[in-house]
Each structure stands twice: as structure tokens, then as C-alpha cells.
Amino acid sequence: MRAAHLTGTPPVVLVAHGSRDPRAAEATRALARAVAATCPGRSVLPSWLDHTDPGPGDVLRQLAEAGHSRVVLVPLLLTAAYHRKVDIPAAVATAGTGLDVRVTEVLGPTGGVVDGRLLAALRRRLAEAAGENADAVVLAAAGTRDPGARASVGRVAAALGGELDVPCRVSYASAAPPEVGGAVARLRAAGARRVAVAAYFLAPGRFHDGVRAAARSAGAVAVADPLTDLPELAELVRQRVAAG
């Protein structure tokens, strides 16, 4: 028998891309715990589009069976590309729950605006890697063929460079040029002596490992860690939940 209808604060479902690397799933679980600490009284449940269970549809069905009628779903994505436009709406539609699912904006720029909490998280990771005193920065992202998504990464690079008052160039680990080693080499050829790499990644995995190795080989003095469960990121998710 279906559980009684529940009222009150709707639960939050976080949806990550997913990876075969177990470190990525643990980073998502850690972020879910950090978000829950900023949202007293809310359930915060992680899910993944691929490689890791449960999927978002499974979580939505469980919440419907528990009697919930509303859910806030937050895409743990830094660009509004294919996964946000296609995969997540499809997962919600095929879950067939009848829930009122409010899907929020991604964590990257929305309406052309780069959230200050995202920039603060990137700066914190750079500082931890001893890279905030660099004279040039490369913002390394996963990569996408979506031109709008690439433009949003460019906006983050411009905003980060403006805050640090240094040139900041974009690189991609896949799907689009330039790759990080080439971006570091070009900045060094232009006169930069201390090039640091900011990691536009939410979780560790193969792409970030490759970025770290290539950047070091090209002469980068520092490579930041992924954002994972930083308090600034958790607060950004909380803001997306509130707006959603």
C-alpha cells in the first residue's frame, strides 16, 4: 500500500554524472552530507546518471512510495549541456512517479552570471595547491561539444582571471581544444613564469588525473584539486535548492 501523503519541506535529490572511479561517488556522497548540514530538516539524497547506483529515477520512485509529493532535483553539473538538457529530463519523465519535480539550474553560470560561491571555491582550491600567487591560470574543464556550455566555461575563466588579476585561459580534458598542456605551454611562451591550473571539476577521476599529469609535464607550478564537498559548493547547492 502506498504511504500516506507527506507535507512539509520537500527532499532534495542530487544528480551527478557518475564515474567508474569510486573516488567520484564518494565525493558526491560527501557533498550530499555537506549540503544536508546547510539544509536542516531536509533529506538530501545522492544519485548518478551512470556507473553508480541509485539512479535518479530509482530515488524518485522511492520518494513517491514513501508518500512525498514534491522533490527538488539539483544537477551536479557545471555546464547546462547534454546531461542537463536531455538525460536529466528523461530520467524524471521515465520515472513515472507523478511527483512534482522541480529541477534547478546547474552549478555553473546561469543567465550569464558566475556565482561568487563558485569562484570562491575555485580560489580556495588554488590556494590549497599554492597556486593563487600564479602569474597566469588555466581553467581545466571536462569538455563539451555544446557551444553554449563552452561559452559558460569561458565566463568562469574570465571572472576568475579578473578576481586574481592574471590572464586565465580555458582548457578541456575531452571533446574540444585546447588541452591543458597546450594551454600551459602557450601562457609560458607568452612570458608567464608561474602558471597554475584551476580544476573545474566536481569530483576526482580519470579526466582530472590526466589534467594533473599533462599540466605538470607542461611546466605548471600548481594543479588544484576538484571542488568535491567544499563549504562554498555546498552553500551554492543550498542556494539552488532555495531558488528551485
Side-chain angles (χ1 to χ4, degrees):
M1 179 180 294
R2 185 181 177 82
H5 173 74
L6 297 178
T7 59
T9 306
V12 175
V13 178
L14 307 182
V15 185
H17 178 280
S19 169
R20 292 184 176 89
D21 191 317
R23 295 174 298 169
E26 183 47 45
T28 302
R29 295 186 187 101
L31 179 58
R33 293 190 292 269
V35 173
T38 74
C39 300
R42 282 190 188 267
S43 296
V44 180
L45 306 170
S47 67
W48 294 265
L49 290 170
D50 202 2
H51 301 303
T52 304
D53 292 328
D58 297 325
V59 176
L60 292 176
R61 284 187 286 272
Q62 291 164 9
L63 291 171
E65 283 298 317
H68 292 278
S69 60
R70 297 180 296 141
V71 175
V72 179
L73 188 151
V74 183
L76 297 184
L77 303 169
L78 291 169
T79 61
Y82 187 86
H83 298 302
R84 172 61 182 86
K85 294 175 180 176
V86 178
D87 287 340
I88 287 177
V92 172
T94 59
T97 61
L99 288 169
D100 176 8
V101 181
R102 305 297 174 90
V103 182
T104 76
E105 301 284 359
V106 299
L107 304 183
T110 62
V113 177
V114 183
D115 194 285
R117 285 158 285 211
L118 179 60
L119 292 175
L122 289 167
R123 290 189 65 170
R124 181 196 285 254
R125 285 299 193 224
L126 271 176
E128 290 171 352
E132 210 177 30
N133 293 322
D135 56 6
V137 172
V138 174
L139 181 69
T144 174
R145 293 183 176 86
D146 186 307
R150 290 199 302 273
S152 78
V153 179
R155 282 191 286 273
V156 175
L160 182 61
E163 286 208 352
L164 298 173
D165 195 26
V166 297
C168 184
R169 304 290 181 259
V170 172
S171 73
Y172 296 104
S174 69
E179 52 83 29
V180 66
V184 170
R186 280 190 286 277
L187 285 168
R188 285 169 53 82
R193 290 294 172 261
R194 288 184 52 82
V195 181
V197 175
Y200 200 48
F201 294 90
L202 295 179
R206 176 173 58 89
F207 279 168
H208 183 262
D209 289 348
V211 162
R212 186 185 299 279
R216 289 295 192 186
S217 294
V221 298
V223 182
D225 287 337
L227 303 178
T228 61
D229 61 340
L230 284 181
E232 296 89 346
L233 191 66
E235 180 60 23
L236 175 55
V237 174
R238 187 205 65 77
Q239 187 277 332
R240 292 288 191 259
V241 170

